[in-house]
């Protein structure tokens, strides 16, 4: 199987998530402290420019996105999501050195940031740096406050498939499905793994789940459906 298309399907859903990175909890600052007010104003500006940068990223207006994210970091250099978002922009532009540098800055600010760890893991997986990628997925998943752990499970599953470890990949995809049953890319990978294990009926049912949720079939899914019916 050509895994590139399947990986692209899941990547698209991960990057949409990453473009809407979770905002850190705002610090309670007293109105009597002018320094605290300045810090709060700086953080607010950083959040706003990061949100704008994420929006332009999704529109693929990368130059404007970079400008907005630089504004965010100028307002508050310690705002990790701005560095994480900038890394995603550079990742899309194939500026690998700049992307890695930005991911590392985000994780120096908050080593336990699950979004940044998940995104950096995906970046490393795509560059075949599998061991390092898996470590970042594991860190992301250890955070009990991580709001979208299914995305790290799904990315870890793809990374394991790229390494040829379908057994471990299956566990990751099953965990992702337990958390979010309607992710079409996860359903596709589970269907493909079921078919490879000779579970044709189960594979067919998983593909039908993709149809039920109204997700479009990509070329990989259509090819899998054809092979299932031939079986």
């Amino acid at each position: 199987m050509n895994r590139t298309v399947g990986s692209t399907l899941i990547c698209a859903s991960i990057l949409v998530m990453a473009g809407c990175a979770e905002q850190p909890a705002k610090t309670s600052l007293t109105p009597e402290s002018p320094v605290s007010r300045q810090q709060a104003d700086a953080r607010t500006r950083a959040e706003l420019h990061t949100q704008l940068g994420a929006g332009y990223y999704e529109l693929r207006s990368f130059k404007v996105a970079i400008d907005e994210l630089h504004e965010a970091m100028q307002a508050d250099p310690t705002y990790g999501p701005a560095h994480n978002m900038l890394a995603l922009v550079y990742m899309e532009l194939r500026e690998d050195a700049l992307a890695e540098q930005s991911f590392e800055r985000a994780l120096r600010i908050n080593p336990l940031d699950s979004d940044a760890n998940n995104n950096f893991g995906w970046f490393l997986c795509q560059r075949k740096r599998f061991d390092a990628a898996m470590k970042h997925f594991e860190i992301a998943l250890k955070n009990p406050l991580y709001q979208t752990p299914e995305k790290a499970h799904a990315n870890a599953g793809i990374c394991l498939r790229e390494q040829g470890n379908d057994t471990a990949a299956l566990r990751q995809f099953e965990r992702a499905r337990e958390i979010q049953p309607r992710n079409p890319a996860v359903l596709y990978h589970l269907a493909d793994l079921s078919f490879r294990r000779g579970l044709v009926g189960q594979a067919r049912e998983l593909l039908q789940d993709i149809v039920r949720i109204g997700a479009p079939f990509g070329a990989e899914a259509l090819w899998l459906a054809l092979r299932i019916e031939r079986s």
Side-chain angles (χ1 to χ4, degrees), residues 71 113 157 221:
E71 289 283 346
D113 183 334

Side-chain angles (χ1 to χ4, degrees), residues 18-116:
C20 303
E22 297 160 359
Q23 303 298 326
K26 292 182 172 64
T27 306
S28 178
L29 301 170
T30 60
E32 293 79 18
S33 170
V35 175
S36 296
R37 285 200 299 271
Q38 290 173 4
Q39 290 173 338
D41 289 344
R43 177 54 56 91
T44 298
R45 292 197 304 274
E47 291 173 351
L48 176 59
H49 285 293
T50 299
Q51 291 168 5
L52 289 170
Y56 283 114
Y57 164 82
E58 292 183 10
L59 293 172
R60 302 188 66 79
S61 298
F62 297 129
K63 183 180 184 304
V64 184
I66 290 171
D67 290 342
E68 290 293 345
L69 293 165
H70 282 160
E71 289 283 346
M73 289 180 285
Q74 186 174 355
D76 185 353
T78 67
Y79 186 56
H83 296 279
N84 179 33
M85 191 68 241
L86 183 61
L88 291 173
V89 176
Y90 284 135
M91 183 177 167
E92 190 71 16
L93 294 172
R94 306 296 296 183
E95 295 282 357
D96 285 6
L98 293 173
E100 187 162 357
Q101 184 180 75
S102 293
F103 279 131
E104 288 173 347
R105 285 175 178 167
L107 291 173
R108 279 199 297 272
I109 293 169
N110 181 4
L112 301 180
D113 183 334
S114 290
D115 282 329

